[in-house]
């Protein structure tokens, strides 16, 4: 190599080889890094976000089933058909999504553990609810104890497991976001080295031969510049779109799902206040379910405020604003119902909680509908932005590899033309 480097043809051969290797390495590393980020972006759209949404739906279905079970119990021995169908649909939805999560959640020990817990505890909960129904139909007071025990199992086992599953899947989603958003530093550095090497070779050629352009080296520089610009612009656009989907899609969805869960838990506690009739107390002697209702309503109010601030258009803000208004009405009607119950009119309070019109149940249904509408809107925004981000990287790995091979070949041709002059 030292002997070869002492002659101009030898030096040209070494320079051409180094430049060609740099260009090929630039294309290969670009294809590898961009493929990795494109795969992460695809996971955001098609795997981790849907799994996170399914985990949130599992939690919501379980909480709604608990609410429906309490509502049906309060209605008396003859449970309303629509309430029973709602409960059955919630249990079926939770079971179906658990099967789906078990099939698609691979490599996550935390998720697998929580899915196993849910699969184990859900039949036990369902059995307790059926025991409560059977005793309630016969007028046995022990039915209320079965329902409270079922609610305790839901609160202490099922919902915490569903919450941990949701957090685990959401954590994987954010990991995919971070991976897709990481700048391709190695490709950038190699690209700058390749372009710098090509410019240096052409300047050296000009200084030694007084020839302004070498067609092969110019073509190699143009192809490498295209790859570099494609890499920078494509990744910047993808990063921007993915950031938009995260800030104005996923973050909004997370808050809205949390708000919906708070409303469901508030409704379940409101019903259980009438089921228990003061039988379950806090350490300071207050009604436990009433205290939990107050806590969840406060959390619901806070989350609705955050969701409204995160919404970036009127279509997103309107249902959240309406949900807040309905929540305020719910709170007022609940206060009236509690006053009626405390005065000794249990049947009157029951009507104010369960009636089709003018009840707290009507307000709860409206809150749930508005939150469902807001979630659907934010889900569409997420899908659009995240899909655009993934699309910005489409074709870049293959294009970078092809252009790099073309650039390397052009550089080799350009140097070989110069070498031919020495033969």
């Amino acid at each position: 190599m030292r002997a070869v480097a002492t002659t101009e043809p030898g030096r040209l051969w070494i320079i051409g080889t180094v430049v060609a290797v740099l260009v090929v390495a630039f294309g290969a590393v670009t294809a590898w890094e961009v493929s990795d980020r494109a795969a992460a972006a695809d996971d955001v759209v098609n795997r981790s976000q849907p799994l996170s949404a399914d985990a949130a739906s599992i939690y919501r279905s379980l909480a709604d089933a608990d609410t429906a079970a309490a509502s049906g119990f309060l209605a008396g021995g003859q449970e309303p058909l629509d309430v029973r169908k709602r409960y059955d649909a919630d249990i079926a939805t939770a079971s179906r999504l658990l099967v789906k999560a078990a099939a698609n959640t691979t490599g996550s020990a935390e998720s697998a553990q929580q899915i196993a817990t849910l699969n184990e505890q859900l039949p036990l909960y369902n059995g307790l609810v059926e025991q409560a129904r059977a005793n309630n139909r016969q007028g046995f007071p022990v039915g209320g104890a079965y329902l409270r025990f079922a609610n305790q199992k839901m609160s202490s086992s099922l919902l915490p497991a569903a919450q941990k599953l949701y957090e685990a899947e959401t954590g994987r989603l954010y990991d995919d976001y971070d991976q897709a958003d990481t700048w391709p530093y190695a490709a950038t550095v190699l690209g700058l080295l390749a372009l710098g090497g090509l410019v240096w070779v052409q300047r050296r050629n000009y200084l030694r031969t007084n020839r302004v352009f070498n067609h092969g080296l110019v073509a190699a520089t143009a192809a490498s510049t295209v790859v570099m610009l494609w890499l920078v612009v494509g990744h910047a656009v993808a990063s921007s779109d993915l950031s938009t989907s995260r800030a104005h899609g996923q973050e909004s969805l997370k808050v809205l799902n949390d708000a919906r869960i708070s409303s469901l838990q508030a409704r379940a506690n409101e019903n259980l206040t009438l089921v228990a009739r003061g039988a379950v107390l806090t350490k300071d002697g207050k009604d436990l379910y009433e205290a939990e209702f107050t806590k969840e309503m406060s959390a619901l109010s806070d989350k609705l405020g955050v969701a409204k601030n995160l919404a970036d258009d009127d279509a997103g803000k309107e249902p959240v604003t309406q949900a807040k208004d309905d929540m305020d009405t719910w709170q007022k009607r609940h206060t009236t119902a509690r006053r009626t119950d405390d005065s000794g009119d249990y049947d009157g309070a029951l009507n104010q909680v369960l009636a089709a019109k003018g009840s707290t149940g009507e307000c709860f249904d409206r809150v749930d509908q508005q939150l469902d509408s807001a979630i659907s809107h934010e889900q569409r925004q997420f899908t659009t932005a995240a899909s655009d981000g993934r699309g910005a990287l489409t074709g870049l790995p293959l294009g970078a590899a092809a252009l790099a091979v073309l650039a390397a070949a052009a550089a080799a041709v350009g140097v070989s033309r110069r070498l031919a002059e020495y033969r």
Side-chain angles (χ1 to χ4, degrees):
M1 289 298 295
R2 285 196 299 268
V4 169
T6 61
T7 66
E8 180 61 15
R11 286 191 290 267
L12 281 174
W13 182 84
I14 293 172
I15 290 170
T17 301
V18 171
V19 168
V21 168
L22 277 175
V23 172
V24 170
F26 171 42
V29 172
T30 297
W32 169 62
E33 288 196 317
V34 173
S35 294
D36 182 65
R37 283 146 184 78
D42 187 69
D43 283 343
V44 167
V45 178
N46 294 319
R47 184 184 64 85
S48 50
Q49 200 281 331
L51 284 174
S52 176
D54 285 347
S57 295
I58 290 171
Y59 195 114
R60 189 205 67 78
S61 295
L62 292 174
D64 192 58
D66 201 43
T67 299
S71 296
F73 187 92
L74 285 174
Q78 191 64 35
E79 185 178 10
L81 182 60
D82 60 333
V83 175
R84 180 57 187 258
K85 286 183 176 179
R86 181 172 181 170
Y87 172 85
D88 290 341
D90 285 331
I91 295 298
T93 298
S95 300
R96 175 178 57 81
L97 292 177
L98 281 172
V99 172
K100 182 180 176 183
N104 292 283
T105 303
T106 57
S108 174
E110 176 67 19
S111 294
Q113 179 182 349
Q114 303 312 323
I115 290 171
T117 299
L118 289 166
N119 281 324
E120 177 185 345
Q121 296 296 322
L122 185 55
L124 299 178
Y125 169 82
N126 196 35
L128 290 170
V129 171
E130 293 303 328
Q131 289 278 6
R133 284 171 173 160
N135 282 280
N136 194 37
R137 281 194 296 269
Q138 299 176 72
F140 295 157
V142 72
Y146 274 111
L147 187 65
R148 292 194 299 273
F149 186 42
N151 173 260
Q152 181 182 0
K153 183 168 287 292
M154 176 66 76
S155 301
S156 61
S157 298
L158 286 161
L159 291 182
Q163 178 68 28
K164 290 177 181 177
L165 176 62
Y166 175 60
E167 291 172 353
E169 295 302 332
T170 302
R172 293 180 67 188
L173 169 60
Y174 288 146
D175 287 343
D176 287 337
Y177 263 123
D178 292 340
Q179 185 176 354
D181 194 47
T182 303
W183 187 265
Y185 291 106
T188 303
V189 170
L190 280 172
L192 293 174
L193 287 174
L195 287 171
L198 286 166
V199 171
W200 177 81
V201 171
Q202 292 175 85
R203 183 174 183 275
R204 181 182 184 277
N205 186 53
Y206 168 71
L207 292 175
R208 287 178 175 270
T209 66
N210 211 31
R211 293 170 180 170
V212 179
F213 297 114
N214 179 296
H215 293 165
L217 293 174
V218 169
T221 304
S224 299
T225 301
V226 169
V227 175
M228 191 67 177
L229 291 175
W230 194 354
L231 171 65
V232 172
V233 175
H235 192 275
V237 172
S239 179
S240 176
D241 287 337
L242 288 171
S243 296
T244 299
S245 74
R246 181 170 181 168
H248 299 293
Q250 175 56 29
E251 292 297 333
S252 292
L253 284 170
K254 186 176 186 302
V255 173
L256 288 168
N257 281 320
D258 289 345
R260 198 175 190 186
I261 289 167
S262 290
S263 72
L264 288 164
Q265 291 180 332
R267 178 61 178 172
N269 283 302
E270 181 178 46
N271 289 336
L272 286 167
T273 301
L274 293 174
V275 172
R277 300 190 185 188
V280 184
L281 304 177
T282 61
K283 292 181 179 180
D284 55 359
K286 295 181 180 179
D287 188 294
L288 174 64
Y289 297 118
E290 177 63 18
E292 290 295 319
F293 170 83
T294 301
K295 183 181 75 172
E296 294 298 340
M297 289 297 278
S298 177
L300 173 59
S301 179
D302 293 341
K303 290 164 186 172
L304 287 176
V306 174
K308 185 175 180 180
N309 291 332
L310 287 174
D312 58 346
D313 57 12
D314 291 339
K317 291 180 183 294
E318 183 177 352
V320 177
T321 301
Q322 185 59 53
K324 181 64 168 63
D325 294 339
D326 292 332
M327 188 209 74
D328 292 338
T329 304
W330 179 7
Q331 185 73 64
K332 293 175 183 177
R333 290 181 181 179
H334 175 81
T335 301
T336 302
R338 293 309 312 142
R339 191 180 300 116
T340 301
D341 186 31
D342 291 340
S343 68
D345 185 4
Y346 178 80
D347 291 336
L350 199 63
N351 185 64
Q352 291 170 353
V353 170
L354 297 179
K357 297 292 183 181
S359 67
T360 60
E362 180 187 27
C363 294
F364 161 72
D365 287 338
R366 288 204 299 260
V367 169
D368 194 63
Q369 290 167 5
Q370 295 298 334
L371 287 174
D372 183 66
S373 176
I375 288 172
S376 297
H377 173 74
E378 297 299 337
Q379 182 66 52
R380 288 192 296 270
Q381 284 202 320
F382 163 84
T383 302
T384 299
S387 297
D388 289 344
R390 178 188 58 182
L393 299 176
T394 301
L396 179 52
L398 183 60
L403 286 171
V405 171
L406 177 63
V413 169
V415 173
S416 67
R417 293 291 300 273
R418 183 78 181 89
L419 278 170
E421 298 173 358
Y422 290 90
R423 294 176 183 172

